[in-house]
Amino acid sequence: MTRAEPHPATPDSSSAVSSSSVLKQTAAKEIRRRVFSGEMKPGTKVDQDALADRLGMSKLPVREALISLAGEGIIETIPRRGAFVADLAREDIRDHYWMLGVISGLAAERASMNLSDDELAELSALATRMESADDLLALERLNFGFHRLINLGARSRRLVAELKLLSGAIPDGFFDSHPESVASSLRDHREIVDALASRSPGMARTLTEGHFLRGGHRAVALLEERGFWA
């Protein structure tokens, strides 16, 4: 049997797949922003054509984003009627943060036994930088880096994947800027760092869970201020 001739070169489909994924994520991010900013309240129908036009994309990635958001419980799709903002209850928001806290707490528990001295020093430095940050966007980025370092310290691909999924459902910019809330969050961070540095698994887990539970209550209060349930 003779060797088959190679097929003519075809465009790499991986770039197309990557581009489609980016467009889907962009659409999902914008929908989340509109929902949690109060622009789109529960029961509001999503105008897919208008959204696609505004984002400069076709309707396909918008539809894919809505399917993904339906899986998160943010969107409800009704056959022959379209996609609507789900009737999220206050407990839905609190439950989301509770789940995020439970898995983050487990990650912190494991991180307390796995983080190197250099990683602990980096974590402490992040906490210090947050304490002196005077820009909300910078504070949010530092906060992301702080929790990401702890999550990676769990040395568990599965935990990191679940945390990425849960945290991804919280839109960018969804950060309570009230001085008392910021101060409370910064105190939590410092206590978590101390627990991790003292290699106290149970304390690290408890403090982390409490941190996210309080975050859930603040999220509900913030949505109420924005008229989400009005």
Side-chain angles (χ1 to χ4, degrees):
M1 180 181 293
T2 60
R3 182 180 176 184
E5 291 295 324
H7 292 291
T10 58
D12 186 358
S13 63
S14 62
S15 59
V17 172
S18 177
S19 177
S20 175
S21 177
V22 169
L23 291 174
K24 171 187 169 183
Q25 292 173 16
T26 299
K29 181 177 179 180
E30 175 62 11
I31 295 168
R32 285 195 200 96
R33 185 196 67 76
R34 292 189 179 194
V35 170
F36 289 103
S37 68
E39 290 181 34
M40 295 171 58
K41 294 180 172 57
T44 301
K45 184 175 182 178
V46 180
D47 188 334
Q48 299 182 43
D49 290 321
L51 185 59
D53 287 343
R54 174 165 180 171
L55 295 175
M57 61 179 66
S58 69
K59 285 178 60 178
L60 179 58
V62 173
R63 286 198 298 267
E64 291 176 340
L66 290 170
I67 292 171
S68 177
L69 293 171
E72 295 177 13
I74 295 174
I75 293 296
E76 180 182 7
T77 302
I78 302 176
R80 295 181 296 280
R81 288 190 57 196
F84 298 79
V85 178
D87 187 17
L88 292 168
R90 291 166 177 81
E91 282 308 305
D92 292 324
I93 305 298
R94 293 191 184 101
D95 285 347
H96 185 89
Y97 276 84
W98 172 78
M99 290 186 291
L100 184 56
V102 168
I103 302 179
S104 295
L106 178 57
E109 181 180 68
R110 294 189 182 176
S112 69
M113 298 176 283
N114 294 328
L115 287 170
S116 67
D117 290 342
D118 287 344
E119 287 172 322
L120 286 169
E122 181 181 353
L123 198 63
S124 180
L126 284 169
T128 299
R129 289 173 62 191
M130 277 188 280
E131 290 164 356
S132 59
D134 56 4
D135 175 74
L136 192 58
L137 181 58
L139 186 60
E140 188 166 29
R141 288 173 177 169
L142 289 167
N143 181 70
F144 173 82
F146 179 87
H147 288 289
R148 183 175 183 274
L149 182 55
I150 296 174
N151 296 341
L152 292 175
R155 310 292 193 252
S156 168
R157 291 179 182 273
R158 182 59 178 169
L159 286 181
V160 169
E162 289 298 324
L163 288 167
K164 182 177 180 180
L165 181 65
L166 286 167
S167 61
I170 301 173
D172 293 343
F174 194 65
F175 195 92
D176 191 349
S177 60
H178 191 283
E180 290 184 7
S181 298
V182 172
S184 174
S185 181
L186 295 179
R187 285 195 299 271
D188 287 351
H189 288 165
R190 185 56 66 183
E191 290 176 354
I192 291 169
V193 170
D194 291 343
L196 292 169
S198 63
R199 308 294 182 181
S200 302
M203 184 59 69
R205 182 171 189 166
T206 298
L207 290 170
T208 301
E209 288 180 356
H211 176 66
F212 281 96
L213 281 174
R214 285 185 288 278
H217 291 305
R218 288 197 295 269
V220 168
L222 184 60
L223 287 172
E224 287 176 338
E225 290 176 8
R226 294 176 176 179
F228 186 77
W229 290 285

